[in-house]
Amino acid sequence: MIKKFIGKVSLCGTLLLAGTGMLTAQNQMDSKLPMDPNVRTGKLKNGLTYYVRHNEEPKDRASFYIVQNVGAILENDNQNGLAHFLEHMAFNGTVHFPGKGVLNYLEKYGVAFGRNINAYTNVDETVYNLSNIPTSNENLLDSALLVLHDWSNYLSLEGKEIDSERGVIHEEWRTRRSGGMRAYLEKSKVIYKGSKYAERDVIGSLDVIDNFDHQVIRDFYHDWYRTDLQAIVIVGDIDAEKFENKIKEMFAHIPAVENPKERIYYDVPGNKEPIVGIITDPEVSNYSFEVFYKHKATPFNEKNMKYYRNSIIENLHSSILGNRLNELLQKGNAPFINAWAAYYNKARKMDVYHNSVTLKEDNLLEGAETFLKEIERANRHGVVATELERAKTEMLSSIEKQYKDRNKQHNDRLVRGYQRHFLVNEPVPGIEFEFEAIKKLLPGISAEEVNAFSKKWMTQENVIITFTAPEKENVELPTEQQLLALLEKVRNADLKPYVDKVITEPLISEMPKAGEVKKEAELNGFGATEWTLANGAKVVVKKTDFKENEIRLQAFSKGGNSLYGVEDLASAEMAGGFIANFGLGKFDQTSLQKLLTGKSVRVSPYISELSEGFSGNSSVKDFETMLQLVHMYFVAPRFDEEAFTALKGRYMAYVANMGADVNKAFRDSVSVTTTDHNPRTILFNTDMIASLNLETMKRVYQERFVDASDFTFVFVGNIDVEKAKPLIETYLGSIKDIDREETWKDNGVDYPKNDTYNHFAREMETPKTTIHIDLHGDIKYSRENKLMMSFVSSLLNKRYLEVIREKEGGSYGVGVRGYVSKFPREEYNLVIRFDTDPAKSDKLKGIVYDEIQGLFKNGVKEDDLVETKENFIKEYQENLRKNGYWINAINRYYTYGESVNSTEDYEKMINAITKEKVEKFAKKYFAKTGKVEVVMSPEEK
């Protein structure tokens, strides 16, 4: 749906109401919106709500959710953090699935914890999901429903399991407590001042987490996890009527809680005078200035056509203002790094008009003033008719794209709509209804009406101002009085109306002389056609029906920034991203975006280490435009000095204080250590940005994209091959050919020759030790070795989850990734990374190494191996119905010579992997291996 707009509302029906000829305009606006006719919904006698819908994306999969209208806002002070704690406990024992039974059972069928099995808690809600459950197994589907049943009312909440989870919660707190998070929590206290929202941050009080009596969490569970506050949502490739009946049978017996506590929706009090909060933290890396205008949210029972239409206007205004702010960023000395403004719902009973800007350190008050003036300009003089029409066109194009993909909507995306309907009565009439309604409603919205909304939003009362900054010497921060004075100054400033400048010429003024296809071949196993054009370019086209309205592009050529010296490397690495912001031909970036209004199309050039090329996508009708953009990136790239200066300045301001972020410091240490301090390891910092040079970018780009002769272009999606052929001949076949043959260069960037240990201390606000282990060595690149390395990664993930997270309570999560590379040399690396309590770091690091050795010393657990196999097969089946998978598979064919397996062949290959094979592989590559170990610990105070 249309990004924030349709995320906030679901559109429907004026046309049906108007069609009766019997209702007044006011009656139409007061009318309720209908429910999506494709969903079966109802409420049981015990108060439980359900939504069930048949849907076939992904094929043979279904998603099961339980939505709890319960969050941290309902906690008493002695329960602060227990809503979130309770979410964890749902995975630690239920009546039918004792202990880790939920995970153990589902993972036998390839349903993976984290990716398919998950949950979240926020201030007002808690949601659990079992996603992409295979529908071919009726018993598995029934068991998934049984899990939801147990989550509803039958958690075990055993004392031993509660105590074991305290450590995991501690480590989640530790991992999440970055400078940005601390600043966010302090900012929330300002925004929600005087409300219970200011007292709850979800993860809660560590004192409560460490010391609460078991009965306290059981009381919270009894009081709030109850049928009148719960919804079951099932969407997928299932018989909806059958599952509606199963829900009734399985959940009807759950008793409603007698004399239930009132589910209170808390107000955020108003304020006559502005509330100002200046928040600093030594680990914050950016300066942020925000103004919130608080408003009463629309009551749940008043979310009617008027509410819906108002939401359209809100989003039109946000889109227009966003384009104006982006336009400011294209000019020479951009006044700030980025900015946005939007009206949206922030709490159950509070909406806000939120103005936000990220400022440059050397331009704090001036940047904030420029930003506020643009907001005030739009408020005072309103929007221009031409920019409103463009915003309408964009909105209509977006909803049309979704309508065309109506039969390819993903299960989990549909679930989110029904979830919002249950929680806050957000309308969900269905995309078919929305599309027709949007077409009827948009023409009646005038510029005057849009302008009236922002005047209503920007009030004198209920204003919140926040300023967030690093704690840094020699930088004078604005005072509360200065910020208040700035708002008053801007209100009285002399501002001229916005002038909308538009170039009306076409992107390509003269059609290029078409080339032609010289050779055609079928790509066996891929269901694709390969064309060789007269200019030497290869084009591969694969038609799919996975998405009705999507065509994806990848283009690639060997070379990349490996062909350039260290002095040019930073500019070469950043060239693609910069040039994508310069526009094309005679169109600067602002004019180009206006020209592309209403088109669903994106093309981005890139230059990576070993290759250069493009990524992109388009709707079916905008395929020609995508080809035109690619053509122009070859024949008429734009090198805009003013845009370069603006973007470089924004980057310089963005990275200026990144050194304050302990996680960035750690990542940089990993980069330089694993590459043995090679000068080609360029860190993303002020030195890198300062070295960027427009002339170098221009030279590198023109050399990399001088012709198309060694490029391969891949298109995957709902593409009409016969119609596409002449367009490809015109726009790609006309690109010049100098018949070059290039390849990348191995510059010798490699691991240190000997095992390397970089242990260092760093001053930090929240003490934690972060550990990065990289095991590496030589290996022959092959499909089997890649697969075996993936198995090792998966098996270690399971072991670390069981031992480090659950048994030791030592980390919120241990990340494990295994890679087998072919270029620039054949090698493998296994990377393990996690955060932990400094007091536990040595012990847990030892466990990491022990578990790797245990793969071949103690052997692989048969159950773990079976679960891994099932997960790999399940994921492969799902991938085969994704355009993204096929476009990457074709890329791998041309880059590595890899073919694609049928599902049957893949399953045979997976099932042929035995525990003995995994143990032998692990011993061969990890009994003795190269090692880089980077450990960051807190500096002793």
Coordinates of all heavy atoms in Angstrom, one line a residue, residues 803-873:
V803 N 23.5 -22.8 23.9 CA 24.5 -22.8 25.0 C 24.8 -21.3 25.5 O 24.6 -21.1 26.7 CB 25.8 -23.4 24.6 CG1 26.9 -23.4 25.7 CG2 25.6 -24.9 24.2
I804 N 25.1 -20.4 24.6 CA 25.5 -19.1 25.0 C 24.3 -18.2 25.4 O 24.3 -17.6 26.5 CB 26.3 -18.4 23.9 CG1 27.7 -19.1 23.8 CG2 26.5 -16.9 24.2 CD1 28.6 -18.5 22.7
R805 N 23.2 -18.3 24.6 CA 22.0 -17.5 25.0 C 21.2 -18.1 26.1 O 20.9 -17.5 27.1 CB 21.2 -17.2 23.7 CG 19.9 -16.5 24.1 CD 19.1 -16.1 22.8 NE 17.7 -15.9 23.2 CZ 16.9 -14.9 22.7 NH1 17.5 -14.1 21.8 NH2 15.7 -14.8 23.0
E806 N 20.8 -19.4 25.8 CA 19.8 -20.0 26.8 C 20.5 -20.5 28.0 O 20.0 -20.2 29.1 CB 19.0 -21.1 26.0 CG 18.3 -20.6 24.8 CD 17.2 -19.5 25.2 OE1 16.8 -19.5 26.3 OE2 16.8 -18.7 24.3
K807 N 21.5 -21.3 27.9 CA 22.1 -21.9 29.1 C 22.9 -20.9 29.9 O 22.7 -20.8 31.2 CB 23.0 -23.1 28.7 CG 23.6 -23.8 29.9 CD 24.5 -25.0 29.4 CE 25.3 -25.6 30.5 NZ 26.2 -26.7 30.1
E808 N 23.7 -20.1 29.3 CA 24.6 -19.2 30.0 C 23.9 -17.8 30.2 O 24.4 -17.1 31.1 CB 25.9 -19.0 29.2 CG 26.7 -20.2 29.1 CD 27.3 -20.7 30.4 OE1 27.5 -19.8 31.3 OE2 27.6 -21.9 30.5
G809 N 22.9 -17.5 29.4 CA 22.3 -16.2 29.5 C 23.3 -15.1 29.2 O 23.3 -14.0 29.8
G810 N 24.2 -15.5 28.3 CA 25.4 -14.6 28.1 C 25.3 -13.6 27.0 O 26.2 -12.7 26.9
S811 N 24.4 -13.8 26.1 CA 24.3 -12.8 25.0 C 22.9 -12.8 24.4 O 22.2 -13.9 24.4 CB 25.3 -13.2 23.9 OG 25.2 -12.3 22.8
Y812 N 22.5 -11.7 23.9 CA 21.1 -11.6 23.3 C 21.1 -12.5 22.0 O 20.1 -13.1 21.6 CB 20.8 -10.2 22.9 CG 19.4 -10.0 22.3 CD1 18.3 -10.6 22.8 CD2 19.3 -9.3 21.1 CE1 17.1 -10.4 22.3 CE2 18.1 -9.1 20.5 CZ 16.9 -9.7 21.1 OH 15.7 -9.5 20.5
G813 N 22.3 -12.6 21.3 CA 22.4 -13.4 20.1 C 23.8 -13.4 19.6 O 24.5 -12.4 19.7
V814 N 24.2 -14.6 19.1 CA 25.5 -14.7 18.5 C 25.3 -14.9 17.0 O 24.6 -15.8 16.5 CB 26.2 -16.0 19.0 CG1 27.6 -16.2 18.4 CG2 26.3 -15.9 20.5
G815 N 25.9 -14.0 16.2 CA 25.8 -14.0 14.7 C 26.9 -14.9 14.2 O 28.1 -14.8 14.5
V816 N 26.5 -15.8 13.2 CA 27.4 -16.7 12.6 C 27.2 -16.6 11.1 O 26.1 -16.8 10.6 CB 27.3 -18.1 13.0 CG1 28.4 -19.0 12.5 CG2 27.3 -18.2 14.6
R817 N 28.3 -16.4 10.3 CA 28.2 -16.3 8.9 C 29.4 -17.0 8.3 O 30.5 -16.8 8.6 CB 28.1 -14.9 8.3 CG 26.9 -14.1 8.8 CD 25.7 -14.5 8.0 NE 24.5 -13.7 8.3 CZ 23.7 -14.0 9.3 NH1 23.9 -15.0 10.2 NH2 22.7 -13.2 9.6
G818 N 29.1 -17.9 7.3 CA 30.2 -18.6 6.6 C 30.2 -18.3 5.2 O 29.1 -18.2 4.5
Y819 N 31.3 -18.1 4.6 CA 31.4 -17.7 3.2 C 32.5 -18.5 2.5 O 33.5 -18.9 3.1 CB 31.9 -16.2 3.1 CG 31.0 -15.3 3.8 CD1 31.3 -14.9 5.1 CD2 29.9 -14.7 3.3 CE1 30.5 -14.0 5.8 CE2 29.1 -13.8 4.0 CZ 29.4 -13.5 5.3 OH 28.6 -12.6 6.0
V820 N 32.3 -18.8 1.2 CA 33.3 -19.4 0.3 C 33.4 -18.5 -0.9 O 32.4 -18.3 -1.6 CB 32.9 -20.9 -0.1 CG1 33.9 -21.4 -1.1 CG2 32.9 -21.8 1.1
S821 N 34.5 -17.9 -1.1 CA 34.7 -17.0 -2.2 C 35.6 -17.6 -3.3 O 36.4 -18.4 -3.1 CB 35.4 -15.7 -1.6 OG 34.7 -15.2 -0.6
K822 N 35.3 -17.1 -4.5 CA 36.1 -17.5 -5.6 C 37.1 -16.4 -6.1 O 38.2 -16.7 -6.5 CB 35.2 -17.9 -6.8 CG 36.0 -18.5 -8.0 CD 35.1 -19.1 -9.0 CE 35.8 -19.8 -10.1 NZ 34.9 -20.4 -11.1
F823 N 36.6 -15.2 -6.0 CA 37.4 -14.0 -6.4 C 37.6 -13.0 -5.3 O 36.7 -12.9 -4.5 CB 36.7 -13.3 -7.6 CG 36.3 -14.2 -8.7 CD1 35.0 -14.3 -9.2 CD2 37.3 -14.9 -9.4 CE1 34.7 -15.1 -10.2 CE2 37.0 -15.8 -10.5 CZ 35.7 -15.9 -10.9
P824 N 38.7 -12.4 -5.2 CA 39.9 -12.5 -6.1 C 40.7 -13.8 -5.9 O 41.6 -14.0 -6.7 CB 40.7 -11.2 -5.8 CG 40.3 -10.9 -4.4 CD 38.9 -11.4 -4.2
R825 N 40.4 -14.5 -4.8 CA 41.1 -15.8 -4.7 C 40.1 -16.8 -4.0 O 39.2 -16.4 -3.3 CB 42.4 -15.6 -3.8 CG 42.2 -15.3 -2.4 CD 43.4 -14.8 -1.7 NE 44.0 -13.6 -2.4 CZ 43.5 -12.4 -2.0 NH1 42.6 -12.2 -1.1 NH2 44.0 -11.4 -2.6
E826 N 40.4 -18.1 -4.1 CA 39.5 -19.1 -3.5 C 39.8 -19.2 -2.0 O 41.0 -19.6 -1.7 CB 39.7 -20.4 -4.2 CG 39.2 -20.3 -5.7 CD 39.3 -21.7 -6.4 OE1 40.4 -22.2 -6.5 OE2 38.2 -22.2 -6.8
E827 N 38.9 -18.9 -1.2 CA 39.1 -18.9 0.3 C 37.8 -19.0 1.0 O 36.7 -18.7 0.4 CB 39.9 -17.7 0.7 CG 39.2 -16.4 0.5 CD 40.0 -15.2 0.9 OE1 41.2 -15.4 1.3 OE2 39.5 -14.1 0.9
Y828 N 37.8 -19.4 2.2 CA 36.6 -19.4 3.1 C 36.9 -18.5 4.3 O 38.0 -18.2 4.7 CB 36.3 -20.8 3.6 CG 37.3 -21.4 4.6 CD1 37.1 -21.2 5.9 CD2 38.4 -22.1 4.2 CE1 38.0 -21.6 6.9 CE2 39.3 -22.6 5.1 CZ 39.1 -22.4 6.5 OH 40.0 -22.8 7.4
N829 N 35.8 -18.1 4.9 CA 35.9 -17.4 6.2 C 34.6 -17.7 7.0 O 33.5 -17.7 6.4 CB 36.3 -16.0 6.1 CG 35.2 -15.1 5.5 OD1 34.7 -15.4 4.5 ND2 34.9 -14.0 6.1
L830 N 34.8 -17.9 8.3 CA 33.7 -18.1 9.2 C 33.7 -17.0 10.2 O 34.7 -16.8 10.9 CB 33.8 -19.5 9.9 CG 32.6 -19.8 10.8 CD1 31.4 -20.2 10.1 CD2 33.0 -21.0 11.7
V831 N 32.7 -16.2 10.3 CA 32.7 -15.0 11.1 C 31.7 -15.2 12.3 O 30.5 -15.5 12.0 CB 32.3 -13.7 10.3 CG1 32.2 -12.5 11.3 CG2 33.4 -13.5 9.3
I832 N 32.1 -15.0 13.5 CA 31.3 -15.1 14.7 C 31.4 -13.7 15.4 O 32.5 -13.2 15.6 CB 31.7 -16.2 15.6 CG1 31.6 -17.6 14.9 CG2 30.8 -16.2 16.9 CD1 32.9 -18.1 14.5
R833 N 30.2 -13.1 15.8 CA 30.2 -11.9 16.4 C 29.1 -11.8 17.5 O 28.0 -12.2 17.2 CB 30.1 -10.7 15.4 CG 30.2 -9.3 16.1 CD 30.1 -8.2 15.1 NE 31.2 -8.1 14.2 CZ 31.3 -7.1 13.3 NH1 30.5 -6.1 13.2 NH2 32.3 -7.1 12.5
F834 N 29.4 -11.2 18.6 CA 28.4 -11.0 19.7 C 28.8 -10.0 20.7 O 30.0 -9.7 20.8 CB 28.0 -12.4 20.3 CG 29.1 -13.0 21.1 CD1 29.2 -12.9 22.4 CD2 30.1 -13.8 20.4 CE1 30.3 -13.6 23.1 CE2 31.1 -14.4 21.1 CZ 31.2 -14.3 22.4
D835 N 27.8 -9.5 21.4 CA 28.1 -8.6 22.6 C 27.8 -9.4 23.9 O 27.0 -10.3 23.9 CB 27.1 -7.4 22.6 CG 27.3 -6.5 21.4 OD1 28.4 -6.4 20.9 OD2 26.3 -5.8 21.0
T836 N 28.5 -9.0 24.9 CA 28.3 -9.7 26.2 C 28.7 -8.9 27.4 O 29.4 -7.8 27.2 CB 29.0 -11.1 26.2 OG1 28.6 -11.8 27.4 CG2 30.5 -10.9 26.2
D837 N 28.4 -9.4 28.6 CA 28.9 -8.8 29.8 C 30.4 -9.0 29.9 O 30.9 -10.1 29.7 CB 28.2 -9.5 31.0 CG 28.6 -9.0 32.3 OD1 29.6 -8.3 32.4 OD2 27.9 -9.3 33.3
P838 N 31.2 -7.9 30.1 CA 32.7 -8.0 30.2 C 33.1 -9.2 31.1 O 34.1 -9.8 30.8 CB 33.1 -6.7 30.7 CG 32.1 -5.7 30.2 CD 30.8 -6.5 30.3
A839 N 32.4 -9.4 32.2 CA 32.8 -10.4 33.2 C 32.6 -11.8 32.6 O 33.2 -12.7 33.1 CB 31.9 -10.3 34.4
K840 N 31.8 -12.0 31.6 CA 31.6 -13.3 31.0 C 32.4 -13.5 29.7 O 32.3 -14.6 29.1 CB 30.1 -13.5 30.7 CG 29.2 -13.5 31.9 CD 27.8 -13.7 31.5 CE 26.9 -13.8 32.8 NZ 25.4 -14.0 32.4
S841 N 33.0 -12.5 29.2 CA 33.6 -12.5 27.8 C 34.6 -13.7 27.6 O 34.5 -14.4 26.6 CB 34.2 -11.2 27.5 OG 35.3 -10.9 28.3
D842 N 35.5 -13.9 28.5 CA 36.5 -14.9 28.3 C 35.9 -16.3 28.3 O 36.2 -17.1 27.4 CB 37.6 -14.8 29.4 CG 38.5 -13.7 29.2 OD1 38.6 -13.1 28.1 OD2 39.2 -13.3 30.2
K843 N 34.9 -16.5 29.2 CA 34.3 -17.8 29.2 C 33.5 -18.1 27.9 O 33.6 -19.2 27.3 CB 33.3 -17.9 30.4 CG 32.6 -19.2 30.5 CD 31.6 -19.2 31.7 CE 30.9 -20.6 31.8 NZ 29.9 -20.6 33.0
L844 N 32.7 -17.1 27.5 CA 31.9 -17.3 26.3 C 32.8 -17.4 25.0 O 32.4 -18.2 24.1 CB 30.9 -16.1 26.1 CG 29.9 -16.0 27.3 CD1 28.9 -14.9 27.0 CD2 29.2 -17.3 27.6
K845 N 33.9 -16.7 25.0 CA 34.8 -16.8 23.8 C 35.3 -18.2 23.8 O 35.4 -18.8 22.7 CB 35.9 -15.8 23.9 CG 36.9 -15.8 22.8 CD 37.5 -14.4 22.6 CE 38.3 -13.9 23.8 NZ 39.6 -14.6 23.9
G846 N 35.6 -18.8 24.9 CA 36.1 -20.2 25.0 C 35.0 -21.1 24.5 O 35.3 -22.1 23.8
I847 N 33.7 -20.9 24.8 CA 32.7 -21.7 24.3 C 32.5 -21.6 22.8 O 32.3 -22.7 22.2 CB 31.3 -21.3 25.0 CG1 31.4 -21.7 26.5 CG2 30.1 -22.0 24.3 CD1 30.2 -21.1 27.3
V848 N 32.7 -20.5 22.3 CA 32.7 -20.3 20.8 C 33.7 -21.2 20.1 O 33.3 -22.0 19.2 CB 33.0 -18.8 20.4 CG1 33.2 -18.8 18.9 CG2 31.8 -18.0 20.8
Y849 N 34.9 -21.2 20.6 CA 35.9 -22.1 20.0 C 35.6 -23.6 20.3 O 35.8 -24.4 19.4 CB 37.3 -21.7 20.6 CG 37.8 -20.4 20.0 CD1 38.1 -19.3 20.8 CD2 38.1 -20.3 18.6 CE1 38.6 -18.1 20.3 CE2 38.6 -19.1 18.1 CZ 38.8 -18.0 19.0 OH 39.3 -16.8 18.5
D850 N 35.2 -23.9 21.5 CA 34.9 -25.3 21.9 C 33.8 -25.9 21.0 O 33.9 -27.0 20.6 CB 34.5 -25.4 23.3 CG 35.6 -25.1 24.3 OD1 36.8 -25.2 23.9 OD2 35.4 -24.9 25.5
E851 N 32.8 -25.1 20.7 CA 31.7 -25.6 19.9 C 32.1 -25.8 18.4 O 31.7 -26.8 17.8 CB 30.5 -24.6 19.9 CG 29.8 -24.6 21.2 CD 29.1 -25.9 21.6 OE1 28.8 -26.7 20.7 OE2 28.9 -26.2 22.8
I852 N 33.0 -25.0 17.9 CA 33.6 -25.2 16.6 C 34.4 -26.6 16.6 O 34.2 -27.4 15.7 CB 34.5 -24.1 16.1 CG1 33.6 -22.8 16.0 CG2 35.2 -24.4 14.8 CD1 34.5 -21.5 15.8
Q853 N 35.2 -26.7 17.6 CA 36.0 -28.0 17.6 C 35.1 -29.2 17.9 O 35.3 -30.3 17.4 CB 37.0 -27.9 18.8 CG 38.1 -26.8 18.6 CD 39.0 -27.1 17.4 OE1 39.6 -28.1 17.3 NE2 39.0 -26.1 16.4
G854 N 34.0 -28.9 18.6 CA 33.1 -30.0 19.0 C 32.3 -30.6 17.8 O 31.9 -31.7 17.8
L855 N 32.3 -29.8 16.7 CA 31.6 -30.3 15.5 C 32.3 -31.6 15.0 O 31.6 -32.5 14.5 CB 31.7 -29.3 14.4 CG 30.8 -28.1 14.5 CD1 31.0 -27.1 13.4 CD2 29.3 -28.5 14.5
F856 N 33.6 -31.7 15.2 CA 34.3 -32.9 14.7 C 34.8 -33.8 15.9 O 35.1 -35.0 15.7 CB 35.4 -32.6 13.7 CG 36.4 -31.6 14.2 CD1 37.6 -32.1 14.9 CD2 36.3 -30.3 13.9 CE1 38.5 -31.2 15.3 CE2 37.3 -29.4 14.3 CZ 38.4 -29.8 15.0
K857 N 35.0 -33.2 17.1 CA 35.5 -33.9 18.2 C 34.4 -34.7 18.9 O 34.5 -35.9 19.2 CB 36.2 -33.0 19.2 CG 37.6 -32.5 18.7 CD 38.2 -31.7 19.8 CE 39.6 -31.3 19.3 NZ 40.3 -30.4 20.4
N858 N 33.2 -34.0 19.1 CA 32.1 -34.6 19.8 C 31.0 -35.1 18.8 O 30.2 -35.9 19.1 CB 31.4 -33.6 20.7 CG 32.4 -33.1 21.7 OD1 33.3 -33.8 22.2 ND2 32.3 -31.8 22.1
G859 N 31.1 -34.6 17.5 CA 30.1 -35.0 16.5 C 28.9 -34.1 16.4 O 28.6 -33.3 17.4
V860 N 28.3 -34.1 15.3 CA 27.1 -33.3 15.0 C 25.9 -34.0 15.6 O 25.7 -35.2 15.4 CB 26.9 -33.0 13.5 CG1 25.6 -32.4 13.2 CG2 28.1 -32.2 13.0
K861 N 25.0 -33.3 16.2 CA 23.7 -33.8 16.7 C 22.8 -34.1 15.5 O 22.6 -33.3 14.7 CB 23.0 -32.9 17.7 CG 23.7 -32.7 19.0 CD 22.8 -31.9 19.9 CE 23.4 -31.8 21.3 NZ 22.6 -30.9 22.2
E862 N 22.3 -35.3 15.5 CA 21.5 -35.8 14.4 C 20.2 -34.9 14.2 O 19.8 -34.5 13.1 CB 21.0 -37.2 14.5 CG 20.4 -37.8 13.3 CD 21.3 -37.9 12.1 OE1 22.5 -38.4 12.3 OE2 20.9 -37.5 11.0
D863 N 19.6 -34.5 15.4 CA 18.4 -33.7 15.3 C 18.7 -32.3 14.7 O 17.9 -31.8 13.9 CB 17.8 -33.5 16.8 CG 17.1 -34.7 17.3 OD1 16.9 -35.6 16.4 OD2 16.8 -34.8 18.5
D864 N 19.9 -31.8 15.1 CA 20.3 -30.5 14.5 C 20.5 -30.6 13.0 O 20.1 -29.6 12.3 CB 21.6 -30.0 15.2 CG 21.4 -29.5 16.6 OD1 20.2 -29.4 17.1 OD2 22.4 -29.2 17.3
L865 N 21.1 -31.7 12.6 CA 21.3 -31.8 11.2 C 20.0 -32.0 10.4 O 19.8 -31.4 9.3 CB 22.2 -33.1 10.9 CG 22.6 -33.3 9.5 CD1 23.5 -32.2 9.0 CD2 23.3 -34.7 9.4
V866 N 19.0 -32.7 10.9 CA 17.7 -32.9 10.3 C 17.0 -31.5 10.2 O 16.5 -31.2 9.1 CB 16.9 -33.9 11.1 CG1 15.4 -33.9 10.6 CG2 17.4 -35.3 10.9
E867 N 17.0 -30.7 11.3 CA 16.4 -29.4 11.2 C 17.0 -28.5 10.2 O 16.4 -27.8 9.5 CB 16.5 -28.8 12.6 CG 15.6 -29.5 13.7 CD 15.8 -28.9 15.1 OE1 16.5 -27.9 15.2 OE2 15.2 -29.5 16.0
T868 N 18.4 -28.6 10.1 CA 19.1 -27.7 9.2 C 18.7 -28.1 7.7 O 18.5 -27.3 6.9 CB 20.6 -27.9 9.4 OG1 20.9 -27.4 10.7 CG2 21.4 -27.0 8.4
K869 N 18.6 -29.4 7.5 CA 18.2 -29.9 6.1 C 16.8 -29.4 5.8 O 16.6 -28.9 4.7 CB 18.3 -31.4 6.1 CG 19.7 -32.0 6.1 CD 19.6 -33.6 6.0 CE 20.9 -34.2 5.9 NZ 20.8 -35.7 5.8
E870 N 15.9 -29.5 6.7 CA 14.5 -29.1 6.4 C 14.5 -27.6 6.2 O 13.7 -27.2 5.3 CB 13.6 -29.5 7.6 CG 13.4 -31.0 7.8 CD 12.6 -31.5 6.6 OE1 11.8 -30.8 6.0 OE2 12.8 -32.7 6.2
N871 N 15.2 -26.9 6.9 CA 15.2 -25.4 6.7 C 15.8 -25.0 5.4 O 15.3 -24.1 4.7 CB 16.0 -24.7 7.9 CG 16.0 -23.2 7.7 OD1 17.0 -22.6 7.4 ND2 14.9 -22.6 8.1
F872 N 16.9 -25.7 5.0 CA 17.5 -25.3 3.7 C 16.5 -25.7 2.5 O 16.4 -24.9 1.6 CB 18.8 -26.1 3.5 CG 20.0 -25.5 4.1 CD1 19.9 -25.0 5.4 CD2 21.2 -25.3 3.4 CE1 21.0 -24.3 6.0 CE2 22.3 -24.7 4.0 CZ 22.2 -24.2 5.3
I873 N 15.9 -26.8 2.6 CA 14.9 -27.2 1.6 C 13.7 -26.3 1.5 O 13.3 -25.8 0.4 CB 14.5 -28.7 1.8 CG1 15.6 -29.7 1.5 CG2 13.3 -29.0 0.9 CD1 15.3 -31.1 2.0

